[in-house]
């Protein structure tokens, strides 16, 4: 059985590329251990994250996210069972401004002018 959790939050402060890449690297390591895959969007000091995996792992990560001081105003947008992973190839895909393309970061997918791309569409689809 799989579960999906989609939430958004506000960054405590603007994160530079080094902070974002460190956050992403740690998330990927942790998610690999927990059997979680997903996608993280960072735009205008806001996060939107979609995580999927075993329900116990999702709950463990959700509890940890609520204590993370890098963001606040966490709001669950969707949570429930999932038949098939939407991000099977990524312990954490990442989307943000196209300017991040210059870093050649694996798993990076730039957003368009509306803040969307294929991966953000997968997150919001019910």
């Amino acid at each position: 059985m799989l579960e999906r959790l989609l939430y958004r939050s506000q960054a405590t402060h603007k994160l530079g590329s080094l902070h974002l890449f460190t956050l992403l690297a740690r998330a990927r390591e942790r998610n690999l251990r927990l059997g979680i895959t997903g996608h993280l969007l960072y735009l205008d000091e806001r996060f939107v994250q979609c995580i999927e995996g075993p329900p116990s792992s999702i709950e463990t990560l959700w509890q940890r996210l609520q204590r993370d001081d890098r963001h606040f105003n966490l709001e669950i947008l969707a949570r429930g069972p999932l038949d098939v992973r939407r991000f099977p190839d990524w312990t954490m895909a990442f989307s943000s401004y196209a300017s991040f393309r210059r870093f050649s970061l694996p798993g990076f997918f730039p957003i368009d002018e509306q803040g969307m791309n294929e991966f953000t569409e997968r997150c919001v689809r019910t």
Side-chain angles (χ1 to χ4, degrees):
M1 178 165 176
L2 295 172
E3 184 177 25
R4 175 179 84 114
L5 172 66
L6 174 64
Y7 78 91
R8 68 179 161 203
S9 64
Q10 178 70 43
T12 305
H13 59 279
K14 186 173 184 172
L15 299 177
S17 55
L18 180 59
H19 288 107
L20 282 170
F21 297 159
T22 300
L23 180 151
L24 187 59
R26 289 182 180 154
R28 287 176 171 174
E29 290 171 9
R30 181 187 58 246
N31 290 355
L32 182 62
R33 288 191 310 270
L34 291 171
I36 290 176
T37 54
H39 177 266
L40 176 66
L41 169 67
Y42 179 73
L43 178 66
D44 298 329
E45 287 82 53
R46 294 196 61 90
F47 297 103
V48 177
Q49 183 167 255
C50 182
I51 54 176
E52 55 193 21
S56 61
S57 294
I58 295 297
E59 183 58 28
T60 297
L61 183 53
W62 177 240
Q63 293 301 318
R64 182 177 179 149
L65 288 166
Q66 290 179 84
R67 295 186 307 270
D68 191 325
D69 62 2
R70 292 174 290 195
H71 63 166
F72 63 99
N73 288 344
L74 282 80
E75 177 185 1
I76 293 178
L77 303 174
R79 186 172 185 172
L82 184 67
D83 293 329
V84 178
R85 289 180 188 263
R86 296 177 185 192
F87 305 96
D89 299 327
W90 299 105
T91 55
M92 190 52 60
F94 175 62
S95 294
S96 193
Y97 307 101
S99 61
F100 283 99
R101 187 179 283 149
R102 72 181 183 270
F103 296 108
S104 300
L105 184 68
F108 172 70
F109 304 94
I111 53 172
D112 63 20
E113 298 80 33
Q114 288 77 39
M116 300 298 284
N117 64 22
E118 170 194 349
F119 287 87
T120 57
E121 291 286 343
R122 281 188 213 177
C123 278
V124 298
R125 190 175 55 224
T126 57

